[in-house]
Structure formats: structure tokens, C-alpha cells
Amino acid sequence: MSNERNRGIGQRVAEERKLAGWTQARLAQEANVSVSLVRAVEQGRAPASPAFVSSVAKAFKTSPAELLGQPYPRTTRDETEVSSGIALIRSELAAYDIPPAGLQPRPIAEVAADVERMRTLRRASSLRQMSQDLPALMTEVRALVHSERGGNLQRAYRLLCEMYLCARGLAHKLGYTDLMTVAIERLGWAAGRTGSRLWVTSAQYFRASILTSTGDWNTALVYLERCRTELESELSTDDTEHLVSWGGLHLQSGLAAARAGDRDTADSHLAEARETAARVGDPDYHEPVFYFGPTNVGIWSVGLAVEMLDGTEGINRARHLPVPASTPKSRAGHLYIDLARGFLLHGDRAKTLDALNTARKIAPIQTRYHPMVHETVRVLARQEARSTESLRGFAAWCGVGQ
């Protein structure tokens, strides 16, 4: 196994700090975190939260992906297969506005059926199949937007938006953050040509997520407020597209506020999203663009508590949260990843591992590559006087050295 992959973020933070000639106190001051947290992360006694990672990366003038060691080195045939489409997707995103030479696309209805299948793979976190099938389909949809006219042209752009959203999801889960950023930029370009409020909101939502992940929380909050202002006049109509857009933007604002350490604001945005989800009504509502409704807001509520380092509150919020069988595996898996982090913060190591195994069962590849899973496993292993066989097995499965 790669030595690089065995290194945790604590080691990388310590190395970057020493290269900069900083003490732990200096890093804490520059990143606006406590000295005790810097010390605990470097020693592997506390997990590095996303907020900590982005704050420290910003202080070092580097990216969160660099500190996390993403994308992880490919050490097995399976890992090579999962990322096999990345190079082709990168090329496809560069060619976004150029008609493919010599390619005659199939009728739009046939292509749309394959796009729907790709959406299903995205929501199921079937990353290996996505990586294999997505590049060629992206090229064909690109050909459609250069060949269709009239009403079908907007439909073709909507299909292209789904391609960019799939590319974004694959790149994000595998740790290719530069590629994820390009996919989101392309999504914004295509969304403006769809005539769809939801696709425009989706592009805004993910653009804000870039600002949040890099620690520019205040800019994210200002931008999201501006986006919601565009929607306010339409909310009285109970139009589903506008309600879903409004609620989704509040969830993203809640995340930015939580990472900024502003609990009151995060809870306020969560309350707005919950009220909006109640207006949508269906607890298992599935919109082709956004998965939004009471269930997803409940999943977010757990994650926001954990982002604020309140594991006990996260556990309490999950206690009576129904998760229907039809919930996308990507969302259900994320719930249990967040719950694992919550149980670790709460001090329940046995349930931490149980939650990780549940996430693995629901969405195995997503769980295997998730940096917060790696952080949780490393800290869990350090806290165990003698690591159990099941913990060692899980660590080996996701490529974490102990």
C-alpha cells in the first residue's frame, strides 16, 4: 500500500507547518482555530473536520485536497477501474462548446433514456459504472446541443446539465476537486440555456459549495442570499420548482454558517428548509434535479449538528429520522458517515464502527473514498487500546494504515 495513502491529515498539517516555519500557536492564529485542536489533529487524537481542513488550507495558501491527500493513489485494479473515466471526462469538459466531429447523435428520446439511467447511477453512488459509461454519453449529449433546434434544444441542454452534475459527483467523490470545479462551471453555463429554474438553482447551489469547501463562508452566505432574493416573489404560489430551489439554497447556507461556527444562523436556515419541505409535502419527494423533502432535510440536520462538532445533537436528530427504502443511496450513505462522526465526537466507539459499516453496506465506493471516513477510522484506531479485528479489516478495506 502506498506510503502516501497511509499518511493522515495530521501528518500533512505538521509537515506544512514546519515547512512554513510556524509553531502550532502561529498556525492556530492564522487559521483562527484553537492551539489545542491543532495539537490534537497533528497527534491523531481528534479528527480534522471539514471546517478545520479548509481553514488550515487557507492559512497555508493551499487547497483542502492537498491536505487530505486527494485524489488518493490508485493501488488496486478496482481503484483504477473506478477512476478510469476521469481523463476522458476532463477532455470532454474542455470541449464543452465545440461540436463533436463526425458524430451523429441518436434521437433525443433514446439519449434521454440513457441520461435517466446515469442519473440513477449517480444517486446510487455507482461510481465504477458511472466512470465507465459517462464519457461517451457526455460526448453524445454535447452533439445533441449542436444539432437540435426549437423546443428540443432546451431539452438537450437539460440533459447536458445532468451530464455535468454526474461529472461533478464522480469527481467530488473520488477527490478530483479541480475537475469538480470545472464541471460546476460548465453546469452554470448550460443551466442558463435550459429555461429551468431548478437547473439554475442547482448551478448556484454547487457554486456556493465551492466557496464553502475552501473556507470562504461569508462570501458563500452573501451569494446564497442574493440567489434567494431572485426567488422570493414566486414563493407565494407554492410552485414546487421554486419551493425546492428555496429550500435547497437554505440548506447550503446552513452548511456555510455551520462551518463558520455560527450555530444560530445555521439553525435558522435549517428551520427555513424544514418549513419549505413541509410545504412540498411528500417525505420521500424525488425531483429529477434536486432530492429535496422532509427526509433529506432530516439527513442534513444530522450533518449540520456534526459540522458544529455537536455529536450528541446529531445522534438525537437521527434517532427518530425515517429513511425510506427509496432514499438515494448517496444520501443514506452520507447520513451514516455523518453519524459515525457524531458517535466518535460523543465517545461511543462501538457505534462509530457500526455506523461506518452501515455506510459501507449502503454506498461502498462512496464510503471507501470519503476523507471524513478516513479521518474517523484513524482517530478511532488511535483511541482503541488494542484495535479489533473488525476495525483493522475496515481500515484495510478503505486503505487506511494504522
Side-chain angles (χ1 to χ4, degrees), residues 3-15 41-42 48 66-69 374-375 378 400-401:
N3 289 332
E4 175 62 23
R5 188 156 178 174
N6 279 330
R7 294 166 65 234
I9 188 172
Q11 292 171 280
R12 293 190 181 91
V13 168
E15 289 171 6
V41 170
E42 287 193 1
E66 287 289 329
L67 288 184
L68 292 167
H374 287 217
E375 276 300 287
R378 284 194 172 91
V400 175

mmCIF file of all heavy atoms in Angstrom, residues 3-15 41-42 48 66-69 374-375 378 400-401:
data_model
loop_
_atom_site.group_PDB
_atom_site.id
_atom_site.type_symbol
_atom_site.label_atom_id
_atom_site.label_comp_id
_atom_site.label_asym_id
_atom_site.label_seq_id
_atom_site.Cartn_x
_atom_site.Cartn_y
_atom_site.Cartn_z
ATOM 1 N N ASN A 3 2.765 4.542 0.764
ATOM 2 C CA ASN A 3 3.071 5.260 1.995
ATOM 3 C C ASN A 3 2.324 6.580 2.046
ATOM 4 O O ASN A 3 1.914 7.040 3.108
ATOM 5 C CB ASN A 3 4.575 5.508 2.082
ATOM 6 C CG ASN A 3 5.343 4.230 2.354
ATOM 7 O OD1 ASN A 3 4.810 3.307 2.970
ATOM 8 N ND2 ASN A 3 6.588 4.169 1.889
ATOM 9 N N GLU A 4 2.142 7.223 0.881
ATOM 10 C CA GLU A 4 1.410 8.490 0.816
ATOM 11 C C GLU A 4 -0.009 8.317 1.320
ATOM 12 O O GLU A 4 -0.537 9.156 2.048
ATOM 13 C CB GLU A 4 1.406 9.017 -0.615
ATOM 14 C CG GLU A 4 0.571 10.272 -0.831
ATOM 15 C CD GLU A 4 1.061 11.452 -0.034
ATOM 16 O OE1 GLU A 4 2.243 11.480 0.340
ATOM 17 O OE2 GLU A 4 0.239 12.357 0.218
ATOM 18 N N ARG A 5 -0.629 7.190 0.960
ATOM 19 C CA ARG A 5 -2.004 6.966 1.371
ATOM 20 C C ARG A 5 -2.098 6.695 2.869
ATOM 21 O O ARG A 5 -3.119 6.952 3.492
ATOM 22 C CB ARG A 5 -2.580 5.793 0.576
ATOM 23 C CG ARG A 5 -4.079 5.602 0.796
ATOM 24 C CD ARG A 5 -4.692 4.881 -0.353
ATOM 25 N NE ARG A 5 -6.100 4.643 -0.142
ATOM 26 C CZ ARG A 5 -6.892 4.123 -1.049
ATOM 27 N NH1 ARG A 5 -6.418 3.798 -2.228
ATOM 28 N NH2 ARG A 5 -8.166 3.928 -0.808
ATOM 29 N N ASN A 6 -1.022 6.154 3.456
ATOM 30 C CA ASN A 6 -1.036 5.870 4.883
ATOM 31 C C ASN A 6 -0.921 7.132 5.732
ATOM 32 O O ASN A 6 -1.216 7.109 6.920
ATOM 33 C CB ASN A 6 0.111 4.920 5.236
ATOM 34 C CG ASN A 6 -0.225 3.478 4.924
ATOM 35 O OD1 ASN A 6 -1.379 3.085 4.970
ATOM 36 N ND2 ASN A 6 0.786 2.693 4.597
ATOM 37 N N ARG A 7 -0.472 8.215 5.136
ATOM 38 C CA ARG A 7 -0.300 9.447 5.887
ATOM 39 C C ARG A 7 -1.644 10.126 6.094
ATOM 40 O O ARG A 7 -2.397 10.327 5.159
ATOM 41 C CB ARG A 7 0.651 10.393 5.157
ATOM 42 C CG ARG A 7 2.073 9.893 5.071
ATOM 43 C CD ARG A 7 2.878 10.671 4.066
ATOM 44 N NE ARG A 7 3.045 12.064 4.466
ATOM 45 C CZ ARG A 7 2.723 13.098 3.705
ATOM 46 N NH1 ARG A 7 2.176 12.907 2.530
ATOM 47 N NH2 ARG A 7 2.916 14.329 4.123
ATOM 48 N N GLY A 8 -1.937 10.479 7.324
ATOM 49 C CA GLY A 8 -3.181 11.172 7.619
ATOM 50 C C GLY A 8 -3.008 12.669 7.520
ATOM 51 O O GLY A 8 -1.900 13.200 7.347
ATOM 52 N N ILE A 9 -4.114 13.377 7.654
ATOM 53 C CA ILE A 9 -4.051 14.831 7.524
ATOM 54 C C ILE A 9 -3.230 15.454 8.641
ATOM 55 O O ILE A 9 -2.565 16.472 8.448
ATOM 56 C CB ILE A 9 -5.470 15.447 7.458
ATOM 57 C CG1 ILE A 9 -5.361 16.932 7.119
ATOM 58 C CG2 ILE A 9 -6.229 15.222 8.745
ATOM 59 C CD1 ILE A 9 -6.670 17.594 6.847
ATOM 60 N N GLY A 10 -3.241 14.826 9.821
ATOM 61 C CA GLY A 10 -2.431 15.364 10.919
ATOM 62 C C GLY A 10 -0.970 15.448 10.556
ATOM 63 O O GLY A 10 -0.293 16.454 10.843
ATOM 64 N N GLN A 11 -0.454 14.412 9.903
ATOM 65 C CA GLN A 11 0.944 14.417 9.462
ATOM 66 C C GLN A 11 1.180 15.495 8.414
ATOM 67 O O GLN A 11 2.209 16.184 8.431
ATOM 68 C CB GLN A 11 1.318 13.050 8.901
ATOM 69 C CG GLN A 11 1.352 11.941 9.936
ATOM 70 C CD GLN A 11 1.506 10.581 9.280
ATOM 71 O OE1 GLN A 11 0.544 10.013 8.780
ATOM 72 N NE2 GLN A 11 2.713 10.070 9.280
ATOM 73 N N ARG A 12 0.225 15.628 7.492
ATOM 74 C CA ARG A 12 0.408 16.637 6.444
ATOM 75 C C ARG A 12 0.373 18.052 7.024
ATOM 76 O O ARG A 12 1.125 18.923 6.594
ATOM 77 C CB ARG A 12 -0.674 16.466 5.369
ATOM 78 C CG ARG A 12 -0.546 15.184 4.569
ATOM 79 C CD ARG A 12 -1.492 15.185 3.378
ATOM 80 N NE ARG A 12 -1.370 13.951 2.635
ATOM 81 C CZ ARG A 12 -2.095 12.863 2.862
ATOM 82 N NH1 ARG A 12 -3.020 12.884 3.802
ATOM 83 N NH2 ARG A 12 -1.905 11.767 2.157
ATOM 84 N N VAL A 13 -0.514 18.282 7.979
ATOM 85 C CA VAL A 13 -0.586 19.608 8.615
ATOM 86 C C VAL A 13 0.731 19.912 9.318
ATOM 87 O O VAL A 13 1.290 21.014 9.196
ATOM 88 C CB VAL A 13 -1.768 19.675 9.602
ATOM 89 C CG1 VAL A 13 -1.676 20.926 10.474
ATOM 90 C CG2 VAL A 13 -3.094 19.664 8.855
ATOM 91 N N ALA A 14 1.246 18.937 10.063
ATOM 92 C CA ALA A 14 2.504 19.148 10.787
ATOM 93 C C ALA A 14 3.651 19.434 9.828
ATOM 94 O O ALA A 14 4.493 20.319 10.073
ATOM 95 C CB ALA A 14 2.820 17.926 11.647
ATOM 96 N N GLU A 15 3.700 18.701 8.708
ATOM 97 C CA GLU A 15 4.766 18.913 7.728
ATOM 98 C C GLU A 15 4.672 20.297 7.096
ATOM 99 O O GLU A 15 5.680 20.993 6.945
ATOM 100 C CB GLU A 15 4.701 17.827 6.658
ATOM 101 C CG GLU A 15 5.129 16.461 7.166
ATOM 102 C CD GLU A 15 4.858 15.357 6.157
ATOM 103 O OE1 GLU A 15 4.447 15.673 5.020
ATOM 104 O OE2 GLU A 15 5.047 14.185 6.506
ATOM 105 N N VAL A 41 -5.151 17.312 16.370
ATOM 106 C CA VAL A 41 -5.209 16.802 14.996
ATOM 107 C C VAL A 41 -3.844 16.295 14.559
ATOM 108 O O VAL A 41 -3.717 15.217 13.972
ATOM 109 C CB VAL A 41 -5.730 17.886 14.031
ATOM 110 C CG1 VAL A 41 -5.545 17.441 12.574
ATOM 111 C CG2 VAL A 41 -7.203 18.177 14.291
ATOM 112 N N GLU A 42 -2.808 17.049 14.851
ATOM 113 C CA GLU A 42 -1.462 16.617 14.459
ATOM 114 C C GLU A 42 -1.082 15.301 15.130
ATOM 115 O O GLU A 42 -0.381 14.473 14.533
ATOM 116 C CB GLU A 42 -0.438 17.701 14.798
ATOM 117 C CG GLU A 42 -0.499 18.912 13.880
ATOM 118 C CD GLU A 42 0.712 19.827 14.038
ATOM 119 O OE1 GLU A 42 1.609 19.498 14.851
ATOM 120 O OE2 GLU A 42 0.764 20.854 13.338
ATOM 121 N N ALA A 48 -9.907 15.747 11.903
ATOM 122 C CA ALA A 48 -9.916 17.059 11.272
ATOM 123 C C ALA A 48 -11.257 17.245 10.576
ATOM 124 O O ALA A 48 -11.564 16.549 9.614
ATOM 125 C CB ALA A 48 -8.779 17.164 10.269
ATOM 126 N N GLU A 66 -5.135 19.066 -1.151
ATOM 127 C CA GLU A 66 -3.719 18.819 -0.893
ATOM 128 C C GLU A 66 -3.510 18.290 0.519
ATOM 129 O O GLU A 66 -2.752 17.343 0.737
ATOM 130 C CB GLU A 66 -2.919 20.112 -1.095
ATOM 131 C CG GLU A 66 -2.743 20.527 -2.537
ATOM 132 C CD GLU A 66 -1.787 19.627 -3.294
ATOM 133 O OE1 GLU A 66 -0.842 19.096 -2.679
ATOM 134 O OE2 GLU A 66 -1.989 19.440 -4.502
ATOM 135 N N LEU A 67 -4.177 18.902 1.489
ATOM 136 C CA LEU A 67 -4.027 18.448 2.873
ATOM 137 C C LEU A 67 -4.628 17.067 3.082
ATOM 138 O O LEU A 67 -4.134 16.281 3.887
ATOM 139 C CB LEU A 67 -4.682 19.440 3.835
ATOM 140 C CG LEU A 67 -3.973 20.772 4.042
ATOM 141 C CD1 LEU A 67 -4.702 21.590 5.096
ATOM 142 C CD2 LEU A 67 -2.513 20.570 4.445
ATOM 143 N N LEU A 68 -5.702 16.773 2.361
ATOM 144 C CA LEU A 68 -6.354 15.475 2.500
ATOM 145 C C LEU A 68 -5.649 14.378 1.702
ATOM 146 O O LEU A 68 -5.967 13.200 1.846
ATOM 147 C CB LEU A 68 -7.815 15.572 2.044
ATOM 148 C CG LEU A 68 -8.726 16.418 2.936
ATOM 149 C CD1 LEU A 68 -10.042 16.711 2.222
ATOM 150 C CD2 LEU A 68 -8.994 15.712 4.268
ATOM 151 N N GLY A 69 -4.721 14.774 0.838
ATOM 152 C CA GLY A 69 -4.026 13.786 0.018
ATOM 153 C C GLY A 69 -4.873 13.260 -1.119
ATOM 154 O O GLY A 69 -4.655 12.147 -1.603
ATOM 155 N N HIS A 374 -11.950 8.310 6.395
ATOM 156 C CA HIS A 374 -10.539 8.048 6.685
ATOM 157 C C HIS A 374 -10.139 8.694 8.003
ATOM 158 O O HIS A 374 -9.438 8.065 8.821
ATOM 159 C CB HIS A 374 -9.673 8.576 5.546
ATOM 160 C CG HIS A 374 -9.749 7.755 4.302
ATOM 161 N ND1 HIS A 374 -8.668 7.527 3.496
ATOM 162 C CD2 HIS A 374 -10.787 7.087 3.722
ATOM 163 C CE1 HIS A 374 -9.022 6.751 2.467
ATOM 164 N NE2 HIS A 374 -10.312 6.500 2.587
ATOM 165 N N GLU A 375 -10.567 9.941 8.215
ATOM 166 C CA GLU A 375 -10.244 10.627 9.460
ATOM 167 C C GLU A 375 -10.856 9.908 10.659
ATOM 168 O O GLU A 375 -10.217 9.727 11.697
ATOM 169 C CB GLU A 375 -10.739 12.067 9.412
ATOM 170 C CG GLU A 375 -9.803 13.028 8.729
ATOM 171 C CD GLU A 375 -8.458 13.073 9.420
ATOM 172 O OE1 GLU A 375 -8.364 13.647 10.523
ATOM 173 O OE2 GLU A 375 -7.493 12.523 8.865
ATOM 174 N N ARG A 378 -8.934 6.650 11.429
ATOM 175 C CA ARG A 378 -7.620 6.890 12.036
ATOM 176 C C ARG A 378 -7.741 7.244 13.514
ATOM 177 O O ARG A 378 -7.003 6.732 14.355
ATOM 178 C CB ARG A 378 -6.891 8.012 11.293
ATOM 179 C CG ARG A 378 -6.300 7.588 9.953
ATOM 180 C CD ARG A 378 -5.311 8.620 9.426
ATOM 181 N NE ARG A 378 -4.644 8.095 8.247
ATOM 182 C CZ ARG A 378 -5.067 8.275 7.000
ATOM 183 N NH1 ARG A 378 -6.168 8.989 6.785
ATOM 184 N NH2 ARG A 378 -4.408 7.757 5.983
ATOM 185 N N VAL A 400 -6.641 2.688 4.861
ATOM 186 C CA VAL A 400 -6.085 3.493 5.941
ATOM 187 C C VAL A 400 -5.122 2.655 6.747
ATOM 188 O O VAL A 400 -5.514 1.624 7.307
ATOM 189 C CB VAL A 400 -7.206 4.042 6.861
ATOM 190 C CG1 VAL A 400 -6.610 4.765 8.057
ATOM 191 C CG2 VAL A 400 -8.113 4.971 6.069
ATOM 192 N N GLY A 401 -3.867 3.073 6.812
ATOM 193 C CA GLY A 401 -2.879 2.358 7.628
ATOM 194 C C GLY A 401 -3.036 2.718 9.083
ATOM 195 O O GLY A 401 -3.458 3.812 9.430
#
